[in-house]
Amino acid sequence: MSGEERGKRVPGHGRVLVLVAAMLALAATSAGAQETAAPPLTIPVTLAPSVTRPQSGRILIFAQEVEPGAKKSDTVDTSPFQPTGTAIAARETWSLAPGQIASVDGETDTFPMAFSKLAPGTYRFQAVLDRNHDYNYGGRGAGDIVSPVIEAKLPGPIPVLPLSEILPETTIDTMLSGMPAERAAQMRANLAKVEPVDLQSASLSAFWGRPIHVQGWVALPPGYKRNGASFPTVYSTGGFGSTLRSAQLSAAAMTERMATGKAPPMIWVYLDESSPTGTHEFADSINNGPWGRALTTEFIPWIETRYAMDAKPSSRFLTGHSSGGWATLWLQVRYPKVFGGSWPTAPDPSDFHDFTNIDIYAPDANAYRDAQGKPLPLVRDHGKLIATLEQFAQMERVLGAYGGQFASFDWVFSPKGPDGRPMPLYDRATGEVDPQVAAYWREHYDIAHIVARDWATLKPDLDGKIHLIVGTADTFYLDGAARRLKAVFDGLGAHQEFTFLPDRTHFDLLAQGDDRQGLMNDIAWAMYAKARPGAKRPAR
């Protein structure tokens, strides 16, 4: 090309050359990325010959990078308090036969990322077959089948993980095995004093089309006689993750408190509020059934014929922690004529303008991001952020469809969808809140809204009966909703009692000195003073 030709301008020619160069560069970049990207990973899992029958459930794969100098471990698991510390992959399996290989996709149903994107290094892998689909509620448990922990380097193939060990039922001996001998002996003595209670509910059984039971354990005061003097009664419910077994332990601990004089003589009924869908929270729900009605119209009249209870509203009290705290707060508001007072501790959100930092009623509400696009926090340790709501929800999604904390909320609060399942409050992929579901939650279960809406009717039976306690550093930010509920009551001129304990978290709220549950003594004596006016608490 001559100099004259080089000097001529061809319209658009420069732009074409730039575009071609850019396309070539992009193609080269893409080719390079394809050459360096790790190939998709699958994790082979088999049922060991020692498991003689085909098994079904959800296969969960846990992977943790091995830190330098780390000790060997026979367990690899996840934790909501370190959500990204363990990678998880999952798949459903139906009738997996001994010796058969099930390939678990390490790219799609995973958290916090695809396995092929994990940082290079040595990892520990363990497989769990969650046979009852309840891992989200209580982790691995009786009947689940686990593999040994196997180490492998990434990138690279993952060896076959053989599901070989069927986990046994947890027994009292197992639970006491780690205690000093003297303390274990005392706990055995306490456990021998508690009594099981079990009523098949007509209304719940009709709802589900099969027998459904209201169950729990009773702790009796010292010197109790069935035909003797009657006592005030406390109904206590456990939080998320609690079980009938944990209710038994709580009842045993209360017998000791009463025997030593730390707590006054009352009858305590520790109720199990766990269910296959999480925790039913004794709410009357279109999805879980009429649990509140079953408790108040069936169980309480029945149990009051079996024990020497005062059997009157002024001597029936409620207490519970976390989800159990919400349940006891809800029962007091929903059935104010039945109960004489509720002492919820760190209850789940009672005002859905602050549902663990989500304002579910805000325009274009999102469960993962605030209006500025900033991730919403869910778990904290004082001032340190531990997990965002999105991380928690995505981990729960991979672990399974049932029993998780947020899925449990949907089962309690949501309307039923066209598929017969509860409609989710928010899209698990995007966090977008469904305003139709939010409106249903508001009218049926938002305690602050219901109190404000119905105060004229509620006031004669509810005023002065709520005694809520929460820490200002609550791990799940539950003090925010409690402050909103207090503001509603204050605006109504109500006489409820709210206590915000400075710098206390979700897990040390009840602690007093060396007693991790010491605040329960104060709560018990406050109840007793309501039922037995003029009774004096012994000097400490």
Side-chain angles (χ1 to χ4, degrees):
M1 183 181 294
S2 68
E4 182 180 357
E5 290 174 325
R6 286 197 298 270
K8 293 180 179 179
R9 296 180 58 85
V10 179
H13 182 64
R15 291 194 296 274
V16 171
L17 289 176
V18 170
L19 179 61
V20 170
M23 292 176 65
L24 290 172
L26 179 62
T29 302
S30 300
Q34 290 175 359
E35 291 174 3
T36 59
L41 271 178
T42 59
I43 304 97
V45 177
T46 188
L47 202 60
S50 57
V51 183
T52 58
R53 296 180 180 179
Q55 301 291 334
S56 300
R58 188 165 181 82
I59 301 176
L60 301 171
I61 308 296
F62 299 99
Q64 285 179 353
E65 188 171 10
V66 180
E67 299 294 335
K71 296 180 180 179
K72 287 193 173 183
S73 174
D74 58 2
T75 301
V76 182
D77 208 342
T78 189
S79 167
F81 303 102
Q82 194 180 4
T84 59
T86 304
I88 314 168
R91 64 157 284 187
E92 293 291 326
T93 186
W94 291 268
S95 196
L96 180 66
Q100 183 181 357
I101 295 289
S103 295
V104 179
D105 178 11
E107 305 301 303
T108 307
D109 208 357
T110 60
F111 175 84
M113 64 187 71
F115 275 34
S116 63
K117 295 182 179 179
L118 293 173
T122 301
Y123 286 78
R124 289 173 178 161
F125 295 88
Q126 186 171 37
V128 178
L129 179 61
D130 177 19
R131 296 174 64 208
N132 296 318
H133 292 90
D134 58 0
Y135 209 98
N136 252 324
Y137 188 76
R140 59 193 71 181
D144 289 344
I145 309 175
V146 302
S147 77
V149 174
I150 294 176
E151 290 191 4
K153 290 184 179 296
L154 293 180
I158 301 172
V160 175
L161 302 177
L163 294 164
S164 55
E165 180 187 0
I166 302 176
L167 298 181
E169 188 78 40
T170 300
T171 65
I172 293 297
D173 288 339
T174 305
M175 298 170 71
L176 302 181
S177 61
M179 293 184 181
E182 185 176 348
R183 182 58 188 158
Q186 180 61 56
M187 280 300 297
R188 290 182 191 280
N190 296 337
L191 286 163
K193 296 176 184 177
V194 304
E195 299 183 1
V197 283
D198 185 326
L199 174 70
Q200 182 173 317
S201 165
S203 59
L204 287 167
S205 299
F207 178 89
W208 285 101
R210 56 185 173 85
I212 301 293
H213 295 248
V214 181
Q215 296 178 289
W217 292 87
V218 174
L220 297 170
Y224 172 83
K225 295 180 180 179
R226 297 201 180 272
N227 297 319
S230 65
F231 293 88
T233 307
V234 183
Y235 294 90
S236 179
T237 60
F240 184 84
S242 65
T243 62
L244 186 60
R245 179 65 60 129
S246 65
Q248 182 185 15
L249 292 175
S250 296
M254 183 50 70
T255 63
E256 184 173 351
R257 290 186 183 278
M258 290 190 289
T260 58
K262 292 180 179 179
M266 296 192 289
I267 298 174
W268 288 72
V269 183
Y270 287 87
L271 296 165
D272 176 23
E273 66 170 60
S274 64
S275 74
T277 64
T279 170
H280 54 70
E281 305 195 44
F282 284 101
D284 297 312
S285 163
I286 195 172
N287 300 300
N288 286 330
W291 279 95
R293 178 155 54 91
L295 178 70
T296 55
T297 66
E298 298 178 54
F299 183 84
I300 289 178
W302 169 78
I303 199 172
E304 288 181 346
T305 66
R306 295 173 60 85
Y307 291 94
M309 298 174 171
D310 288 351
K312 56 184 180 180
S314 60
S315 286
R316 291 192 201 106
F317 304 114
L318 296 157
T319 190
H321 189 70
S322 195
S323 292
W326 188 93
T328 55
L329 179 60
W330 170 257
L331 287 168
Q332 184 65 73
V333 172
R334 178 66 180 83
Y335 300 97
K337 294 180 183 291
V338 176
F339 302 102
S342 177
W343 278 258
T345 59
D348 285 347
S350 49
D351 185 324
F352 295 166
H353 286 94
D354 187 348
F355 194 83
T356 59
N357 291 322
I358 313 166
D359 180 355
I360 73 171
Y361 309 126
D364 301 318
N366 190 287
Y368 296 160
R369 300 281 189 276
D370 64 14
Q372 289 71 46
K374 185 179 178 181
L376 290 176
L378 177 67
V379 185
R380 64 180 171 181
D381 182 12
H382 299 283
K384 180 182 178 182
L385 174 64
I386 301 298
T388 66
L389 203 147
E390 182 174 14
Q391 288 172 331
F392 192 95
Q394 295 296 351
M395 181 177 68
E396 180 181 296
R397 176 189 61 79
V398 173
L399 288 175
Y402 295 96
Q405 179 70 84
F406 283 94
S408 179
F409 287 140
D410 288 335
W411 276 88
V412 176
F413 301 142
S414 289
K416 194 181 295 290
D419 60 356
R421 294 170 57 85
M423 296 175 66
L425 173 66
Y426 61 90
D427 186 293
R428 295 306 194 263
T430 66
E432 294 177 4
V433 172
D434 185 333
Q436 177 186 350
V437 177
Y440 186 93
W441 281 35
R442 176 185 175 89
E443 293 306 311
H444 293 82
Y445 300 105
D446 186 325
I447 293 174
H449 171 71
I450 291 168
V451 165
R453 183 191 67 194
D454 301 337
W455 184 240
T457 303
L458 291 171
K459 180 179 178 179
D461 301 305
L462 183 61
D463 201 18
K465 289 185 175 181
I466 290 174
H467 312 269
L468 189 152
I469 306 168
V470 66
T472 62
D474 186 86
T475 310
F476 305 104
Y477 299 84
L478 296 173
D479 53 312
R483 292 184 191 280
R484 284 182 167 271
L485 180 62
K486 181 181 184 300
V488 169
F489 277 121
D490 289 347
L492 295 167
H495 300 90
Q496 315 301 3
E497 181 182 13
F498 284 73
T499 303
F500 296 88
L501 295 182
D503 206 38
R504 290 301 180 95
T505 72
H506 203 69
F507 301 104
D508 64 3
L509 178 67
L510 305 179
Q512 290 183 342
D514 295 333
D515 187 347
R516 295 184 61 193
Q517 296 286 314
L519 185 59
M520 287 308 303
N521 301 329
D522 295 345
I523 291 173
W525 281 104
M527 293 172 173
Y528 196 68
K530 297 282 187 182
R532 299 290 187 269
K536 299 295 184 181
R537 181 177 184 178
R540 286 187 264 185

